[in-house]
Amino acid sequence: TDSDAPTSGDSGDGDSAGSADLIPVTVGVIPIADTAPIYVGDDQGFFEEEGIDLTIETATGGAAIVPAVVSGDYEFGFSNQLSLMVAADQGLDIKMVSAAVATTGDTSKDMGAVVTKPDSGIASPADLAGKTVSSNSVGNINDTAVRSVVDEAGADSSTIDFVEVPFPDAIAAVENDQVDAAFVVEPFVTAATEAGLEVVTYAYADFDPKLDIAAYFALSSVDADLLEKFQSAMQKSLEFADSNPDVVREIMGTYTKTDPAVLAEITLPTYPTEFDRASSEKLAAAAVEYGVLKAEPDFDNLLP
Amino acid sequence: MTAVLNTVSEVRRLRRRTSSGAGAWLGAIGVVAFLGLWETVSRLGLVDTRFVPPASEVLVRFGQYVIDRAFWRDVGSTMLSWSLGLIIAVAAATVIGFLIGSSRFLERLTHSTIEFLRPVPSVALIPLAVLLFGTKIQAGLLLIVYAAFWQVLIQVIYGAKDVDPVADATARSYGLSRFQRIRHVTWPTALPYLMTGVRLAAAVALILAITAELIIGTPGLGKQIAETREGGAITSMYALILATGLIGVAINLVARFIERRVLAWHTSVRMDVAG
Amino acid sequence: MSPENATTPVLLVEGLRKIYPAPTPQAEAIEAIRDLTFSIPQGQLVCIVGPSGAGKTTLLKCIAGLLPPTAGRLELEGKAITGPPKTMAVVFQEYGRSLYPWMSVQANVELPLKSAGVPKAERHQRCSEALEAVGLSDAADKYPWQLSGGMQQRVAIARAVAYRPQILLMDEPFAAVDAQTRADLEDLVRKIWKELGVTVLFVTHDIDESVYLGQRVIVLSNRPTVVQDDVTIDLPDERDQLTTRSDPRFVELRRHIYGEIQRAKTNAGGAQQPASA
Amino acid sequence: MSPENATTPVLLVEGLRKIYPAPTPQAEAIEAIRDLTFSIPQGQLVCIVGPSGAGKTTLLKCIAGLLPPTAGRLELEGKAITGPPKTMAVVFQEYGRSLYPWMSVQANVELPLKSAGVPKAERHQRCSEALEAVGLSDAADKYPWQLSGGMQQRVAIARAVAYRPQILLMDEPFAAVDAQTRADLEDLVRKIWKELGVTVLFVTHDIDESVYLGQRVIVLSNRPTVVQDDVTIDLPDERDQLTTRSDPRFVELRRHIYGEIQRAKTNAGGAQQPASA
Amino acid sequence: MKFLISLFFLLALPIVLILLWWISTIVSPSFFVPTPGELITTFFDTWFGERFTEDVLPSIGRLFLGIAGSIIVGVGLGLLIGSFKPLRQLLEPLLEFFRAIPPPVLLPLLMIIIGVNWRMQVFVIIFGSLWPVLLNTVEGVRATDEVQRDTARSYGLGRMARLRYLILPAAAPQILAGIRQCLSIALILMVISELWYTSAGLGFTIVQFQRNFAIPEMWSGILLLGLIGLGLAVLFRYTERYILRWYHGLREVQREP
Ligand SMILES: Nc1ncnc2c1ncn2[C@@H]1O[C@H](COP(=O)(O)OP(=O)(O)OP(=O)(O)O)[C@@H](O)[C@H]1O
Ligand SMILES: Nc1ncnc2c1ncn2[C@@H]1O[C@H](COP(=O)(O)OP(=O)(O)OP(=O)(O)O)[C@@H](O)[C@H]1O
Ligand SMILES: [Mg+2]
Ligand SMILES: [Mg+2]
């Protein structure tokens, strides 16, 4: 009857027991599809191979992960790229250490999309002008991407009213006319299309087909040796995950509560091994334009 | 002789009536009525069942949880941080509350600070908590203690001020020391207030325990709720919320039980027995 | 001596029994009243005396409809008493707690009138008359906790007087006032009783007072309580603090009742039926 | 008649004045005591009488160190009274509120002893003796709110008795008990006074009682309060409810004090200096 | 003189605490804890401008609506539940059930039922801050003195009169204790109600700062919350003094000299 077996937190314990010479490393992540590679890598033993005894801690957002990394409680953390740029902008001494997840680049099938009701009269990004659009957080990568796409389509994105609605509630918000459109990510993109909603734009892919969405980060002062080990383990994990989608779907069943039937359907992101600096710069420029970021970051220091 | 026998049986009858569980039945009726309403609303399609599943489905899911060991492990960790946080908050608030409540000087001195600190939302303290304690149980505890502490403190201060002047004069005239007066006069007077404070704090502590798990991600019911939500498993989420509420009900039962013990002399409890 | 039932009884107490239930499972229930039977005709002034703890207050509370009796019948004007009757006023033994500390003396006295819908002007009128009668005209604006014990008790009396009830229950109403005031208040009660024709039930510890005031004195036994004696006070209706109290019949009645109470103290209900002198 | 200062005064009251401050800015301050001066020698039994609202309770509270006087000097054994003295016990007029509803009768009586560090066995012993003396042996396990008014008052008395103070202040302690019990309690107070040599200050409304009990009766005037009269009770020390009360001197003293109180009611401080009979 | 004393009591402890905080920031500086000076300058820069009318004022408006709602519902329901034992037995488990549910998890449900608008936020405030008022009212009503109750009944006071003249004033000290609790909880819930489903407001702004690591700005928001709380408390103290003047008179006469 132990169906909800401990999914995280102690997931590293099982295979690392007894290996005393391993370096204990804690990584704070958000338990979503984007972080599947690290679970896969742990499962495949990539971290152990590098001499790392990995512990994965989960949190629901950056609010808890960043301070935990800053205080030294976690060695590494997972966060979306724009948040990290903002943090660095505010003077936090952190740097990105590994790529994590990127858009598929497919503008007709991606893991993040703006959805709306079929009869809403919103057929293209330009129609979003003057509408209420939800996103899980405002002043971040999602609304920046959406605004940029709208502006590129020739409409004025400053007329959009962005409202914060958590992804799980977004479909209900659209269906109940609380918002005109919603930006959601998987598994809710699949759920939305199944519920009869229509996709207006796959905003990430439309913004930049190589856009890095999130990254692993650490304090700038992180031990160089450890950093190298982590990076190479992550490298292997990302590669493996990118080429074995079935393993990814399977492992997601262990650390999320998503229905396996839905998991089989969802669009998986790309798991790149390298950052795409051009896309990051484009994102930073857009963020500065929309006032999310004060100045473009020094990518030489921020990126690995 | 018959009169005496009569009395004895009468006394027994009276005793039995007062300890009968009519209250529990009424409470059960209330709960059943609520579940019925929920089921009806959901079945009639007044709300979308995808977002608000019918009570029966949630109950079935809840039933599955009940026989699931992992569920109990989560309940266990939530209850652990809950009880630790509550105990710390109540103990600290009681001691400080009595000190403040029985001295006009201290009360005036601390008033502005208390009123300033009280409305600080625990949620806003999360970065600080994580910074101080990392994501260990202490971080959650800090939030729980911070939120629950004020609830008890205010109640105790008010209770300590409610001492009957004649009762206090009596104690002073018999030369009871300050401590003895607190122990024998102020404490019993403030006890009903404290009990209310504890009941308030118990719920707040539970809410914070769950919220902390939700946001910081320490294991427990809150984390499960967050995960079911993220995963779109709405029925499971409601089953867990149901569990949370039921824990609240259970806590209240315990509180009421304790109250009946320690406040048997108090008008409110006495009237319940008599009426 | 037994009461003359000249007029129809306004109040009937039959086989009254009251057991206070145990407050906690471990405690015992307390049988305050075993078996009381008596009736009071319209307009009578009855004094009730009995040892401390006999159940006088309990009896009054049952009659006032504040406590449900455990057994027995209680009737007011032929109708069973189920709640506090509208036409009744009670002066409680715990006068201090029966005044509301959040209201001025005047507001306390006027409250029952207000709730009975008496117009404001009349309310004021009645209130100041009543306060005048108990000697508290200048305390109208004070709060009860600014008054001395005796003053508080007089406020409670004023409240009952201003209410102009048809039945007046008084539970040791003069316990906290000085001798002189007490005499004045005794005369006040007799005056009100005569002028308004109210039925009065008056609990007292002072035997002289019971004889001086009452047309009839009911003596209760010790707990468990029964009626120990029921004495008709055959003194002339016009009473006066000096002459009445020196009347030989007064002294005789007084001695008789004193003896009865002494007997009552050692005598609990069930042991013996009420006897007459 | 003036008090004989045979022994050194244990209690000195000089120029005592008490004004209750106005509780709200709109209200007025109340001058309860204008000017009181008297002294009490060690081991005297003094009764205080006076009209209702004269300030007797206020005086007692000042002596007990519970209320700060507005002006004047209060000394106990030569030392100024600044707080409740250890060796003093007070029976409050508001007996109901001075008992703690959260404690059984026994716990109420034992509380002061406990705080004084009396060992458990002796505490029990003293408590049951005191309850026995006031006739409440079987109420030890009850709670105050399970008792009748008179019983509550007797618990308060038992508490003071069990404490064995050197000074005993009693504020109308027998107001709620029946005549027979009252007589018993009067004799109890005299017995304790004699056996333990305590100094007793006894406030009462009952003039007979004041004469029967006291060695000396202080009559207070109406508000604002001064000492109206100070009467030495020159009755034999061995007193008895029957013989003492029929003593012609008793009747004479009683009449004298009655007259004084009547005079006191119309006579407020400042208007006239205390006079002796 | 009186004013100076009040001022002393108002400021003494805060000044000591600020000094302690200042010293601690000097001894061990931290990115997440600004210095007092930093905080003060940020405070004025951040809140006095457009933000004040666009974020702060509407939030305070909702806060007041929420407080008013909590008091009305809490006292009203509390009087009913406290007066009728069967009603209390019927509703107690249900109320305890809802009390234990964290308000944030109810948000999705509320979104469907009420919608994404200010009413939903006010509802969240009421839902969270109602309980201290309710519980204290129930307990206060239950604790009404027996003799006082008997007096009212024996004089035939009707239900309304009893409520108005006996039960409400008698329970007032405890009800007011509950209201005092309610004020600060309402403020906390004002923030929580703006965590999601909104794009403006004081709470929203604070969370936005927190998310964007604008730490001094975030603390300045908390400072503002504290000041609002303090303001509410002062308002409340005056109201309470007025409502309970009899009570304070009664208690204070015999307070220690
Ligand atoms: N609330 C109560 N619970 C339990 N027992 C009670 C309660 N009230 C009174 N009693 C008991 O009932 C008996 C009668 O009490 P009651 O108050 O009627 O006496 P009483 O005749 O008024 O006495 P007194 O003259 O001293 O006021 C007493 O033995 C008392 O202990
Ligand atoms: N707490 C108080 N605040 C204001 N005035 C008070 C207070 N207590 C008593 N007084 C006033 O002081 C005066 C004396 O009161 P006190 O209680 O001393 O009288 P008393 O002699 O004990 O009367 P009684 O015999 O009726 O008990 C009264 O006029 C009363 O109104
Ligand atoms: Mg009585
Ligand atoms: Mg007095």
Side-chain angles (χ1 to χ4, degrees):
Chain A
T1 59
D2 207 335
S3 73
D4 283 309
T7 51
S8 56
D10 48 356
S11 57
D13 292 357
D15 33 7
S16 65
S19 31
D21 50 339
L22 297 180
I23 309 167
V25 168
T26 308
V27 181
V29 303
I30 306 170
I32 49 176
D34 300 14
T35 56
I38 197 166
Y39 287 97
V40 172
D42 191 27
D43 203 37
Q44 300 290 329
F46 297 149
F47 287 90
E48 229 168 309
E49 284 168 20
E50 294 293 337
I52 290 176
D53 173 15
L54 183 70
T55 303
I56 301 174
E57 291 282 0
T58 59
T60 50
I65 296 180
V66 173
V69 169
V70 170
S71 72
D73 212 38
Y74 299 163
E75 278 74 23
F76 301 97
F78 170 92
S79 176
N80 89 60
Q81 224 200 153
L82 189 50
S83 288
L84 292 175
M85 294 183 200
V86 172
D89 192 29
Q90 291 287 350
L92 269 179
D93 194 20
I94 54 169
K95 64 177 181 183
M96 304 189 202
V97 297
S98 165
V101 61
T103 163
T104 56
D106 183 349
T107 53
S108 62
K109 188 175 173 29
D110 196 12
M111 28 65 84
V114 176
V115 296
T116 185
K117 272 208 224 173
D119 56 359
S120 67
I122 302 171
S124 71
D127 297 333
L128 288 172
K131 294 291 197 294
T132 306
V133 180
S134 83
S135 173
N136 67 327
S137 79
V138 175
N140 214 316
I141 184 165
N142 298 333
D143 55 319
T144 302
V146 173
R147 287 183 70 169
S148 181
V149 169
V150 171
D151 279 338
E152 263 167 38
D156 179 6
S157 72
S158 65
T159 58
I160 301 178
D161 185 12
F162 279 99
V163 181
E164 291 201 351
V165 175
F167 291 140
D169 306 334
I171 297 172
V174 172
E175 291 198 339
N176 289 285
D177 297 320
Q178 307 296 345
V179 294
D180 298 309
F183 180 90
V184 289
V185 298
E186 289 290 14
F188 301 105
V189 179
T190 305
T193 43
E194 272 175 6
L197 299 185
E198 282 178 358
V199 174
V200 182
T201 164
Y202 289 101
Y204 291 150
D206 275 339
F207 177 78
D208 188 316
K210 289 217 165 310
L211 179 67
D212 280 302
I213 293 158
Y216 289 92
F217 68 98
L219 284 176
S220 303
S221 58
V222 66
D223 178 67
D225 187 40
L226 176 65
L227 177 59
E228 207 172 301
K229 287 183 168 144
F230 179 75
Q231 281 173 326
S232 95
M234 272 318 296
Q235 192 94 7
K236 284 189 237 170
S237 306
L238 290 164
E239 262 168 26
F240 186 87
D242 206 40
S243 47
N244 293 286
D246 294 338
V247 178
V248 169
R249 285 181 211 276
E250 195 184 322
I251 204 149
M252 276 180 69
T254 65
Y255 70 86
T256 70
K257 293 277 187 293
T258 312
D259 186 356
V262 177
L263 280 179
E265 296 288 313
I266 63 168
T267 308
L268 290 178
T270 306
Y271 299 118
T273 51
E274 294 286 328
F275 280 107
D276 181 73
R277 184 164 170 149
S279 78
S280 297
E281 279 169 355
K282 185 177 173 191
L283 179 65
V288 170
E289 188 189 338
Y290 300 131
V292 175
L293 207 56
K294 273 183 253 150
E296 288 192 33
D298 173 6
F299 282 108
D300 292 334
N301 281 335
L302 189 58
L303 292 179
Chain B
M1 196 56 216
T2 38
V4 174
L5 286 177
N6 242 349
T7 313
V8 171
S9 64
E10 194 120 7
V11 167
R12 284 220 190 96
R13 188 173 60 81
L14 282 165
R15 203 178 287 172
R16 211 171 309 132
R17 193 180 60 197
T18 52
S19 54
S20 75
W25 281 110
L26 272 173
I29 290 172
V31 172
V32 169
F34 166 71
L35 289 176
L37 182 73
W38 174 5
E39 181 79 18
T40 319
V41 165
S42 182
R43 292 279 177 211
L44 288 181
L46 295 179
V47 293
D48 196 325
T49 47
R50 270 179 309 151
F51 309 130
V52 186
S56 51
E57 280 178 24
V58 173
L59 280 176
V60 169
R61 184 73 191 93
F62 177 71
Q64 291 166 354
Y65 269 124
V66 170
I67 52 168
D68 185 344
R69 219 179 314 138
F71 167 77
W72 288 107
R73 193 153 46 218
D74 287 324
V75 171
S77 23
T78 302
M79 294 314 283
L80 179 69
S81 47
W82 170 80
S83 50
L84 273 178
L86 187 65
I87 289 169
I88 296 172
V90 169
T94 309
V95 172
I96 298 175
F98 273 113
L99 284 179
I100 295 177
S102 47
S103 154
R104 189 99 178 80
F105 173 78
L106 277 182
E107 200 205 338
R108 292 185 71 186
L109 191 68
T110 51
H111 182 250
S112 58
T113 310
I114 290 178
E115 295 306 325
F116 179 83
L117 290 178
R118 244 157 29 95
V120 172
S122 295
V123 187
L125 294 178
I126 285 177
L128 194 66
V130 174
L131 201 66
L132 286 175
F133 299 115
T135 51
K136 303 186 194 70
I137 185 169
Q138 291 96 314
L141 266 186
L142 179 77
L143 304 185
I144 297 171
V145 172
Y146 189 85
F149 174 78
W150 302 113
Q151 309 262 323
V152 185
L153 184 74
I154 297 299
Q155 293 287 134
V156 173
I157 291 178
Y158 270 76
K161 289 201 299 186
D162 197 30
V163 170
D164 186 295
V166 178
D168 191 50
T170 306
R172 291 205 289 135
S173 74
Y174 280 108
L176 267 68
S177 67
R178 188 179 198 87
F179 172 77
Q180 284 168 326
R181 258 155 48 214
I182 287 185
R183 162 78 187 77
H184 294 296
V185 184
T186 315
W187 166 255
T189 306
L191 204 53
Y193 283 82
L194 176 64
M195 283 304 298
T196 308
V198 171
R199 286 177 60 206
L200 282 169
V204 166
L206 185 60
I207 289 175
L208 259 294
I210 288 183
T211 310
E213 289 161 7
L214 245 140
I215 296 180
I216 303 179
T218 41
L221 272 183
K223 185 169 168 178
Q224 294 296 319
I225 291 178
E227 284 178 2
T228 49
R229 204 166 121 78
E230 293 293 332
I234 298 296
T235 309
S236 300
M237 180 185 86
Y238 277 105
L240 290 168
I241 294 177
L242 186 71
T244 311
L246 289 180
I247 292 175
V249 175
I251 290 171
N252 184 58
L253 280 181
V254 175
R256 281 282 186 224
F257 176 78
I258 296 173
E259 181 187 271
R260 225 174 306 243
R261 290 259 142 156
V262 301
L263 292 183
W265 52 271
H266 192 255
T267 316
S268 55
V269 178
R270 249 151 66 197
M271 292 318 260
D272 270 6
V273 174
Chain C
M1 288 178 241
S2 78
E4 355 148 46
N5 284 348
T7 39
T8 52
V10 64
L11 182 74
L12 183 78
V13 177
E14 204 175 274
L16 178 71
R17 178 169 199 198
K18 176 66 196 177
I19 300 179
Y20 285 102
T24 51
Q26 308 90 291
E28 311 166 55
I30 297 173
E31 186 183 19
I33 295 179
R34 164 79 42 102
D35 179 13
L36 281 186
T37 302
F38 60 89
S39 71
I40 295 177
Q42 167 72 39
Q44 201 172 43
L45 202 172
V46 182
C47 290
I48 298 176
V49 296
S52 176
K56 303 179 292 296
T57 301
T58 307
L59 170 65
L60 245 55
K61 281 193 185 158
C62 288
I63 293 175
L66 295 168
L67 267 185
T70 310
R73 214 147 55 96
L74 279 170
E75 279 181 12
L76 187 76
E77 285 162 347
K79 282 193 292 284
I81 297 175
T82 51
K86 270 273 175 204
T87 55
M88 195 180 265
V90 187
V91 177
F92 290 88
Q93 186 174 15
E94 289 159 296
Y95 53 90
R97 281 166 65 195
S98 106
L99 298 177
Y100 298 152
W102 48 85
M103 290 179 179
S104 70
V105 164
Q106 170 158 0
N108 263 293
V109 174
E110 285 188 11
L111 179 60
L113 303 178
K114 206 159 162 184
S115 98
V118 176
K120 194 163 179 169
E122 193 188 336
R123 227 154 61 203
H124 282 355
Q125 163 82 22
R126 282 212 225 167
C127 168
S128 51
E129 272 175 26
L131 285 179
E132 171 88 55
V134 299
L136 285 178
S137 302
D138 54 353
D141 293 331
K142 299 221 176 86
Y143 285 99
W145 39 269
Q146 293 184 294
L147 304 183
S148 76
M151 291 159 89
Q152 287 177 17
Q153 195 162 37
R154 284 181 280 156
V155 174
I157 295 169
R159 179 166 61 185
V161 168
Y163 190 62
R164 297 203 187 142
Q166 275 160 38
I167 303 192
L168 182 56
L169 309 183
M170 302 178 103
D171 198 353
E172 301 180 27
F174 308 149
V177 298
D178 60 287
Q180 174 61 42
T181 311
R182 187 170 195 137
D184 295 347
L185 290 174
E186 282 167 8
D187 292 334
L188 175 70
V189 166
R190 279 196 66 89
K191 180 168 150 253
I192 291 167
W193 167 67
K194 271 205 209 131
E195 282 177 6
L196 304 180
V198 293
T199 310
V200 181
L201 241 79
F202 191 101
V203 171
T204 179
H205 280 315
D206 189 328
I207 296 166
D208 290 40
E209 183 168 271
S210 73
V211 176
Y212 176 72
L213 273 185
Q215 296 182 295
R216 173 184 171 195
V217 174
I218 296 177
V219 182
L220 298 187
S221 80
N222 217 349
R223 206 159 57 85
T225 308
V226 296
V227 174
Q228 162 94 13
D229 199 359
D230 194 334
V231 187
T232 304
I233 305 296
D234 44 8
L235 291 169
D237 225 31
E238 275 308 319
R239 299 188 191 173
D240 172 79
Q241 292 284 356
L242 285 180
T243 51
T244 306
R245 283 183 198 259
S246 45
D247 188 324
R249 181 64 187 144
F250 179 93
V251 179
E252 188 182 326
L253 283 164
R254 183 178 171 280
R255 224 204 13 251
H256 170 70
I257 293 173
Y258 193 86
E260 279 304 315
I261 290 188
Q262 221 141 346
R263 221 157 57 80
K265 289 208 77 166
T266 53
N267 184 22
Q272 187 184 336
Q273 279 312 299
S276 9
Chain D
M1 286 179 243
S2 78
E4 353 147 47
N5 285 346
T7 39
T8 53
V10 64
L11 182 74
L12 183 78
V13 177
E14 203 175 276
L16 179 71
R17 180 171 197 195
K18 176 66 196 176
I19 300 179
Y20 285 102
T24 52
Q26 308 90 290
E28 310 165 56
I30 297 173
E31 184 182 18
I33 296 178
R34 162 83 39 102
D35 179 13
L36 281 186
T37 303
F38 60 90
S39 72
I40 295 177
Q42 167 71 39
Q44 200 172 43
L45 202 172
V46 182
C47 290
I48 298 177
V49 297
S52 175
K56 303 178 293 294
T57 301
T58 307
L59 170 65
L60 246 56
K61 280 192 184 157
C62 287
I63 294 175
L66 294 168
L67 267 185
T70 309
R73 215 147 55 93
L74 278 171
E75 279 180 13
L76 187 75
E77 285 163 347
K79 283 192 291 283
I81 297 175
T82 51
K86 271 272 176 205
T87 55
M88 194 181 265
V90 187
V91 177
F92 289 87
Q93 185 175 18
E94 289 159 296
Y95 51 91
R97 282 166 65 196
S98 110
L99 297 176
Y100 300 139
W102 47 84
M103 292 179 179
S104 70
V105 164
Q106 170 157 0
N108 263 292
V109 173
E110 286 188 10
L111 178 61
L113 303 178
K114 208 160 159 184
S115 97
V118 176
K120 196 163 177 169
E122 192 188 337
R123 228 155 59 205
H124 283 354
Q125 163 81 22
R126 282 212 225 167
C127 168
S128 51
E129 273 173 26
L131 286 179
E132 171 88 53
V134 298
L136 284 178
S137 301
D138 54 354
D141 294 331
K142 297 221 176 85
Y143 283 93
W145 37 269
Q146 293 183 296
L147 303 182
S148 76
M151 292 159 89
Q152 287 176 19
Q153 196 163 35
R154 283 182 280 155
V155 174
I157 296 169
R159 179 165 60 184
V161 167
Y163 189 61
R164 298 201 189 146
Q166 274 159 41
I167 303 193
L168 181 58
L169 309 183
M170 302 179 102
D171 197 354
E172 299 180 28
F174 307 150
V177 298
D178 61 286
Q180 175 60 44
T181 311
R182 187 170 194 137
D184 296 347
L185 290 175
E186 281 165 9
D187 291 335
L188 175 70
V189 167
R190 278 197 66 89
K191 181 167 149 252
I192 292 167
W193 168 67
K194 271 205 212 132
E195 282 177 5
L196 304 181
V198 292
T199 311
V200 181
L201 242 80
F202 191 101
V203 171
T204 178
H205 280 314
D206 190 328
I207 295 164
D208 291 40
E209 183 167 271
S210 73
V211 176
Y212 176 72
L213 273 186
Q215 295 183 293
R216 171 184 172 195
V217 174
I218 297 177
V219 183
L220 299 187
S221 80
N222 216 350
R223 206 158 58 84
T225 308
V226 297
V227 175
Q228 162 95 14
D229 199 358
D230 194 332
V231 188
T232 303
I233 305 296
D234 46 6
L235 289 169
D237 225 32
E238 274 309 319
R239 299 189 191 173
D240 172 79
Q241 293 284 354
L242 286 180
T243 53
T244 306
R245 282 182 199 262
S246 46
D247 187 324
R249 181 67 188 143
F250 180 94
V251 179
E252 190 182 324
L253 283 165
R254 181 178 174 280
R255 225 204 14 250
H256 170 70
I257 293 173
Y258 194 85
E260 279 304 316
I261 290 188
Q262 222 142 346
R263 223 157 56 80
K265 290 208 76 167
T266 53
N267 182 22
Q272 187 184 340
Q273 279 313 300
S276 3
Chain E
M1 193 56 209
K2 222 173 160 185
F3 173 75
L4 284 181
I5 292 176
S6 308
L7 204 65
F8 166 77
F9 279 118
L10 189 69
L11 296 178
L13 192 56
I15 287 175
V16 171
L17 292 178
I18 288 170
L19 279 179
L20 283 179
W21 160 32
W22 201 359
I23 293 167
S24 80
T25 54
I26 291 170
V27 176
S28 60
S30 156
F31 177 81
F32 288 92
V33 184
T35 63
E38 222 179 319
L39 186 64
I40 295 297
T41 41
T42 340
F43 179 74
F44 287 103
D45 294 349
T46 310
W47 298 107
F48 293 93
E50 211 184 323
R51 269 217 186 90
F52 191 74
T53 46
E54 288 193 352
D55 291 315
V56 180
L57 284 185
S59 288
I60 292 182
R62 289 191 293 267
L63 173 69
F64 274 101
L65 277 178
I67 290 174
S70 300
I71 294 176
I72 293 169
V73 177
V75 174
L77 206 59
L79 288 175
L80 276 176
I81 295 178
S83 310
F84 302 107
K85 190 179 169 198
L87 195 64
R88 190 170 76 244
Q89 290 171 330
L90 186 71
L91 292 183
E92 190 168 286
L94 264 191
L95 291 175
E96 292 304 322
F97 178 83
F98 283 113
R99 209 156 67 81
I101 294 179
V105 308
L106 279 187
L107 283 171
L109 189 62
L110 297 182
M111 179 193 73
I112 295 167
I113 298 172
I114 304 179
V116 180
N117 51 40
W118 64 270
R119 282 194 298 274
M120 165 168 160
Q121 290 163 357
V122 171
F123 184 90
V124 171
I125 297 176
I126 296 179
F127 182 83
S129 59
L130 158 77
W131 308 112
V133 185
L134 181 72
L135 255 61
N136 273 294
T137 308
V138 170
E139 298 307 320
V141 170
R142 288 177 65 204
T144 312
D145 188 275
E146 287 160 273
V147 180
Q148 291 174 353
R149 219 186 311 212
D150 282 352
T151 307
R153 287 181 59 207
S154 72
Y155 280 106
L157 262 66
R159 255 189 205 301
M160 281 322 285
R162 227 145 64 198
L163 202 67
R164 162 89 183 68
Y165 298 111
L166 168 64
I167 295 179
L168 266 180
Q174 204 155 354
I175 294 178
L176 283 161
I179 291 178
R180 187 166 162 197
Q181 302 261 39
C182 153
L183 296 181
S184 63
I185 298 180
L187 202 50
I188 292 173
L189 278 150
M190 181 197 83
V191 174
I192 290 184
S193 75
E194 292 173 3
L195 286 180
W196 296 283
Y197 310 99
T198 180
S199 53
L202 176 52
F204 173 82
T205 316
I206 292 176
V207 173
Q208 213 57 28
F209 286 144
Q210 188 184 346
R211 244 186 240 155
N212 292 329
F213 312 103
I215 301 302
E217 283 85 352
M218 177 194 97
W219 283 112
S220 79
I222 290 176
L223 176 68
L224 182 62
L225 284 178
L227 290 178
I228 295 175
L230 198 57
L232 284 176
V234 170
L235 260 181
F236 173 76
R237 205 172 169 89
Y238 280 106
T239 324
E240 186 193 34
R241 280 258 142 199
Y242 177 75
I243 296 178
L244 290 188
R245 56 193 183 287
W246 59 272
Y247 178 82
H248 292 294
L250 170 63
R251 302 284 126 137
E252 235 136 70
V253 172
Q254 319 215 358
R255 276 268 169 129
E256 284 167 70

